[in-house]
Amino acid sequence: MEYMKTPAGNSQGNILCCECGIPIAPNPANMCVACLRTQVDITEGIPKQVSVHFCKQCERYLQPPGTWIQCALESRELLALCLKKLKGSMNRVRLIDAGFLWTEPHSKRIKLKLTIQKEVMNGAILQQVFVVEFVTQSQMCDDCHRVEAKDFWKAVVQVRQKTVHKKTFFYLEQLILKHKLHQNSLRIKEIHDGIDFYYGTKQHAQKMMDFLQCTVPCRSKASQRLISHDIHSNTFNYKSTFSVEIVPVCKDNIVCLSPRLAQALGNMGQICVCIRVTSTIHLIDPNTLQIAEVDGSTYWRYPFSSLCSPRQLEEFIVMDIEIIRDRKQGAGAGMRSNKHTLAEVWVQKTSEMNTNQQYHCWTYLGHLLNHGDLVLGFDLANANVNDEFVNKMNPHHVPDVVLIKKSYDRNRRQKRRNWKLKEMDKDREGMDTDDERQYQDFLEDLEEDEALRKNINIFRDASKIPVESDTDDDGAPRISLMEMLEDLKISEDATGAEGTDMMTE
């Protein structure tokens, strides 16, 4: 569409075009639009086909000279990017309007409809509409190059925990997946006592550091190493290393507090059980139900260690149990747990059923245990514990047995478990044969502790159809369907790979 504008206020009659002779309204060129078009092309010098570079990995467009920006199709950002490609060739014309013409999303073509004006012969203003086609060319950005290289990194976060069990790491992995902090990492490497996160920028590593310090009780150190130095531009190239050490205490560990720390926590007993590890260590006194929380800074001032490993737990059978409703607390006692019930229990080892040896203890599992139930605990009376605080305690204050949790049939629980967790894509140096058992312990902890699983995403496993029967109900805790999320998977067979990318944007 083309037409010519004439100065306002003219009331002359029609004149004849100097080229073809048809009557036209007077204009400075004395020519009709058709003849003027044959003489002048105001789109001359403006390219009709331009290429733009697009990174398929991160879905960003290149804005010269070296900036990559995120743009949706037919967005204002993409329109501005395309017009900047034409800016140098449109200095002598005036842009009136610009808009997108619809194209297939997978055609790798972007079409712009432009309306421009330009003053031509003798002051006449000619307006013209034309289409510019932008061809999308694939080019990998620098950030994606580093990701694909897998060995190019500027910062590494080394997370360590000096424990036998990996429950804290399993919990931390689910938190990282929920908050999507693993997406910026170039590589995730799992080693024997921790995980290494490699990043292309120091800022991403610092973000992971801040997340870890808010999520788990830990302490950290930072260091950097000079790789190269440009004396002409005075620029330095460093590789940064962040070391994070998580407290060496996991859920269901038995610990012995120092007398000073036990007094500061409300005169609670020194022998405690760790019932949960989140941003703090949650402890409970099995003799009084008194609970306390120990943060990272307090732990490193008054450190304590676990008295036993999960492999040292033994199976006991409850011979007699008596619920204690009103046990008096000492002076200055702290808060008591409302989710547990104090009970006085007589137990016997399942390996010593042919003897009359029974053990007496106090437990916080009174709301779960009944006569004949199986329970896991640690035999302190016959154990050789090498701990400085236990050795200094009065022997009358050290319990014979500390019960940890009720025991259920593991095979039966696995068969009726209709949910699953997602895992990070990480490199492993070597698989420990005990890892699978530890992972099953973590899944059972999620079923038993509602406060622990509310911070992570649990997905329904459609591949498992649990078979219910009257004999399978042994009272083991389960996760309800209301707490599960649907695991969304879009098949490439129906939409194609590119269609899948469009639907998941």
Side-chain angles (χ1 to χ4, degrees):
M1 172 182 172
E2 299 175 354
Y3 64 88
M4 190 165 49
K5 291 189 175 182
T6 58
N10 294 342
S11 58
Q12 295 90 345
N14 291 341
I15 64 173
L16 298 180
C17 174
C18 64
E19 291 288 335
C20 61
I22 63 173
I24 59 172
N27 60 73
N30 293 329
M31 297 173 62
C32 65
V33 174
C35 296
L36 189 61
R37 183 177 56 187
T38 61
Q39 300 292 327
V40 179
D41 181 15
I42 64 174
T43 66
E44 185 179 2
I46 301 176
K48 304 303 185 295
Q49 191 175 66
V50 186
S51 62
V52 292
H53 298 285
F54 176 73
C55 179
K56 294 189 294 183
Q57 275 74 13
C58 60
E59 298 183 352
R60 293 187 299 176
Y61 290 88
L62 174 62
Q63 180 176 333
T67 306
W68 292 84
I69 59 175
Q70 195 87 24
C71 301
L73 290 177
E74 300 190 5
S75 63
R76 296 178 60 183
E77 293 80 8
L78 185 58
L79 180 62
L81 176 68
C82 295
L83 291 178
K84 286 181 180 180
K85 287 276 189 178
L86 304 174
K87 185 176 181 180
S89 58
M90 296 180 63
N91 293 331
R92 297 183 180 181
V93 298
R94 180 184 179 188
L95 181 64
I96 302 300
D97 188 27
F100 288 99
L101 294 178
W102 186 85
T103 55
E104 290 286 348
H106 59 273
S107 64
K108 296 186 178 181
R109 297 292 188 275
I110 301 173
K111 292 186 178 181
L112 283 187
K113 181 181 179 182
L114 304 179
T115 304
I116 60 174
Q117 286 183 355
K118 184 179 180 182
E119 184 176 343
V120 291
M121 300 178 179
N122 300 325
I125 300 176
L126 186 64
Q127 180 169 310
Q128 186 172 346
V129 179
F130 65 103
V131 176
V132 179
E133 183 180 70
F134 293 84
V135 181
T136 303
Q137 296 182 352
S138 299
Q139 177 178 332
M140 189 176 292
C141 65
D142 294 338
D143 295 337
C144 293
H145 264 298
R146 295 169 184 169
V147 174
E148 292 299 324
K150 294 186 183 299
D151 57 352
F152 183 92
W153 54 274
K154 289 291 185 68
V156 57
V157 179
Q158 299 174 339
V159 186
R160 299 291 184 268
Q161 186 184 32
K162 299 176 182 178
T163 56
V164 179
H165 208 287
K166 297 183 179 180
K167 286 184 179 180
T168 307
F169 277 113
F170 292 139
Y171 174 71
L172 182 61
E173 178 183 8
Q174 297 303 317
L175 291 179
I176 293 174
L177 287 170
K178 181 177 181 179
H179 294 87
K180 300 180 180 180
L181 289 176
H182 64 293
Q183 294 181 344
N184 295 325
S185 60
L186 304 180
R187 182 189 180 193
I188 303 175
K189 182 180 179 181
E190 181 179 355
I191 60 176
H192 176 64
D193 57 349
I195 304 177
D196 293 343
F197 297 89
Y198 295 89
Y199 294 94
T201 61
K202 186 179 179 181
Q203 290 76 12
H204 289 156
Q206 188 64 53
K207 185 178 179 181
M208 172 62 80
M209 284 285 298
D210 297 338
F211 174 78
L212 292 175
Q213 292 173 351
C214 297
T215 304
V216 290
C218 60
R219 62 180 177 181
S220 59
K221 294 181 181 179
S223 62
Q224 57 184 8
R225 179 164 57 98
L226 180 63
I227 304 300
S228 61
H229 174 212
D230 188 352
I231 60 176
H232 301 288
S233 60
N234 199 27
T235 57
F236 299 83
N237 182 21
Y238 288 100
K239 279 193 174 183
S240 303
T241 301
F242 298 91
S243 177
V244 181
E245 183 181 357
I246 304 176
V247 295
V249 178
C250 292
K251 186 180 184 298
D252 297 336
N253 281 168
I254 304 171
V255 298
C256 183
L257 307 180
S258 64
R260 188 173 180 180
L261 178 59
Q263 183 180 6
L265 296 177
N267 289 330
M268 66 187 306
Q270 289 184 247
I271 302 294
C272 298
V273 178
C274 176
I275 56 176
R276 193 180 304 114
V277 177
T278 54
S279 57
T280 57
I281 305 173
H282 298 254
L283 301 175
I284 186 170
D285 185 354
N287 294 328
T288 61
L289 293 188
Q290 187 173 337
I291 56 176
E293 294 184 12
V294 180
D295 58 7
S297 59
T298 304
Y299 175 85
W300 298 117
R301 285 201 306 269
Y302 309 102
F304 51 87
S305 58
S306 175
L307 300 182
C308 67
S309 65
R311 289 184 176 182
Q312 294 175 301
L313 295 180
E314 298 184 67
E315 192 175 57
F316 295 84
I317 185 170
V318 178
M319 307 303 294
D320 193 10
I321 181 170
E322 181 181 351
I323 303 298
I324 306 299
R325 297 296 181 186
D326 49 354
R327 188 177 187 186
K328 293 183 180 180
Q329 289 184 286
M335 186 184 301
R336 295 185 61 181
S337 174
N338 297 324
K339 297 182 179 180
H340 301 86
T341 303
L342 185 63
E344 192 175 2
V345 186
W346 286 261
V347 295
Q348 186 174 2
K349 291 183 181 180
T350 56
S351 60
E352 299 177 354
M353 294 302 292
N354 56 346
T355 65
N356 295 327
Q357 178 66 37
Q358 293 189 8
Y359 301 91
H360 170 265
C361 65
W362 299 83
T363 181
Y364 57 93
L365 302 175
H367 59 296
L368 296 176
L369 298 182
N370 296 300
H371 295 277
D373 285 346
L374 298 178
V375 60
L376 295 178
F378 182 56
D379 183 9
L380 278 172
N382 301 315
N384 184 13
V385 178
N386 185 16
D387 186 86
E388 58 172 331
F389 301 131
V390 175
N391 296 334
K392 295 178 181 179
M393 285 182 63
N394 187 340
H396 299 288
H397 295 163
V398 180
D400 294 338
V401 173
V402 178
L403 302 181
I404 301 299
K405 62 180 180 179
K406 188 176 179 180
S407 178
Y408 301 97
D409 188 351
R410 169 164 289 185
N411 294 330
R412 188 177 298 175
R413 295 182 71 170
Q414 291 181 5
K415 289 180 181 179
R416 67 187 181 197
R417 184 175 293 143
N418 59 341
W419 55 273
K420 62 181 179 179
L421 300 176
K422 290 189 175 180
E423 297 183 13
M424 290 189 301
D425 185 15
K426 49 184 178 290
D427 301 332
R428 296 184 178 181
E429 287 187 346
M431 272 295 294
D432 191 357
T433 56
D434 199 40
D435 286 352
E436 181 61 29
R437 186 188 64 83
Q438 295 182 10
Y439 187 69
Q440 292 299 325
D441 289 342
F442 173 68
L443 297 182
E444 292 175 1
D445 290 341
L446 292 180
E447 293 176 336
E448 298 168 4
D449 193 347
E450 183 179 357
L452 186 66
R453 64 175 179 261
K454 72 178 182 180
N455 297 325
I456 65 178
N457 291 334
I458 297 175
F459 298 91
R460 188 174 69 88
D461 191 355
S463 62
K464 289 187 177 180
I465 303 177
V467 179
E468 299 289 345
S469 65
D470 297 336
T471 59
D472 285 345
D473 191 7
D474 56 353
R478 305 187 192 183
I479 298 179
S480 63
L481 287 174
M482 296 294 293
E483 301 178 74
M484 301 180 192
L485 301 174
E486 290 290 342
D487 190 10
L488 179 60
K489 290 185 178 180
I490 301 177
S491 174
E492 295 185 2
D493 297 337
T495 59
E498 296 177 351
T500 303
D501 296 339
M502 294 164 48
M503 297 177 68
T504 54
E505 281 185 355

